[in-house]
Amino acid sequence: CFLILFTFSIQTFSQVRTWRNPRVFWKHMMDSDPSDAVPYNNYGNVLNRAGEFKESVRYYRKALSLNENYTEAWFNMANATLSDVILRTGGQGEDFKIDATKAVEMMVRGLRVEPDYPINFFSLANLFERIDRFDEAYDIYRQLSSNPDHSKRALMSMKRLSDVVSSRRDGSRPR
């Protein structure tokens, strides 16, 4: 009886140690149920956090091929796409504009799936700011300012955005 308990204890300890590694854990989850989109999205998150943006996009695409209404995967893929293009281009040039526009389209697609989730609108507004589409960002913040739960953050974002735009006009730095 002791030998069986000891054997199972060692196996359990070994398994827990292995699953402490998020890559190993999410790979195992993908292998366990290849039709579930969540492990692909979460494995993409692990890669994204490691700076492996292009590879993370591959897993977000797989998650979306399994569930095209997976809002989180749309936003994660958009953010990884944007991070990749900023890394490659320094946030400048035609490639940046093209890929940033693709990221906007991904976020908009995610918002169509889940339009009542204000945090996603903040993400889209932030993306618009990063690609100098200030009017669109401002419009989103203005809409969010009417939501009592998000008005303070939206109004602060509007003020900050106004400072950025003003500083660009007169050549000064935003406060």
Side-chain angles (χ1 to χ4, degrees), residues 7 13 37 41 52 58 71 88 90 94 102-103 106 115 120 142 150 165 174:
T7 303
F13 178 76
N41 178 70
E52 299 174 39
R58 197 174 121 225
T71 302
R88 286 186 292 110
E94 198 58 33
K102 288 178 188 174
M106 292 171 200
N120 290 347
R142 188 176 38 73
H150 300 284
V165 171

Side-chain angles (χ1 to χ4, degrees), residues 22 35 48 51 101 105 121 127 158:
S35 65
N48 195 4
T101 300
E105 291 166 2
F121 284 97
L127 176 54
M158 289 168 69

Side-chain angles (χ1 to χ4, degrees), residues 33-57:
D33 186 359
S35 65
D36 184 2
V38 173
Y40 292 95
N41 178 70
N42 290 346
Y43 189 74
N45 289 342
V46 170
L47 295 171
N48 195 4
R49 280 188 218 105
E52 299 174 39
F53 306 120
K54 280 189 177 195
E55 189 67 8
S56 70
V57 168

Side-chain angles (χ1 to χ4, degrees), residues 145-160:
S145 69
S146 66
N147 180 322
D149 294 331
H150 300 284
S151 62
K152 182 177 180 180
R153 180 177 172 193
L155 291 169
M156 288 173 34
S157 297
M158 289 168 69
K159 169 67 171 117
R160 180 185 41 72

Side-chain angles (χ1 to χ4, degrees), residues 90-143:
Q92 306 284 323
E94 198 58 33
D95 283 347
F96 172 73
K97 288 180 184 177
I98 290 168
D99 283 359
T101 300
K102 288 178 188 174
V104 167
E105 291 166 2
M106 292 171 200
M107 284 193 177
V108 167
R109 177 68 194 267
L111 283 168
R112 278 193 216 117
V113 173
E114 200 168 340
D116 297 327
Y117 194 52
I119 299 304
N120 290 347
F121 284 97
F122 277 109
S123 295
L124 180 58
N126 288 329
L127 176 54
F128 280 141
E129 283 188 57
R130 290 174 79 178
I131 60 176
D132 295 341
R133 290 169 61 175
F134 300 121
D135 290 342
E136 290 161 286
Y138 194 86
D139 286 345
I140 291 172
Y141 292 137
R142 188 176 38 73
Q143 290 171 4

Side-chain angles (χ1 to χ4, degrees), residues 13-111:
F13 178 76
S14 175
Q15 193 70 24
V16 167
R17 205 173 82 221
T18 299
W19 282 6
R20 230 181 267 175
N21 180 328
R23 287 182 192 240
V24 173
F25 176 77
W26 289 115
K27 276 279 198 189
H28 172 78
M29 297 305 290
M30 288 184 288
D31 292 341
S32 296
D33 186 359
S35 65
D36 184 2
V38 173
Y40 292 95
N41 178 70
N42 290 346
Y43 189 74
N45 289 342
V46 170
L47 295 171
N48 195 4
R49 280 188 218 105
E52 299 174 39
F53 306 120
K54 280 189 177 195
E55 189 67 8
S56 70
V57 168
R58 197 174 121 225
Y59 284 90
Y60 297 136
R61 284 191 197 289
K62 178 63 177 176
L64 289 164
S65 75
L66 297 169
N67 179 0
E68 67 181 23
N69 293 325
Y70 194 178
T71 302
E72 187 178 336
W74 282 111
F75 275 79
N76 290 337
M77 187 166 64
N79 286 319
T81 298
L82 189 63
S83 294
D84 178 61
V85 73
I86 288 171
L87 185 67
R88 286 186 292 110
T89 66
Q92 306 284 323
E94 198 58 33
D95 283 347
F96 172 73
K97 288 180 184 177
I98 290 168
D99 283 359
T101 300
K102 288 178 188 174
V104 167
E105 291 166 2
M106 292 171 200
M107 284 193 177
V108 167
R109 177 68 194 267
L111 283 168

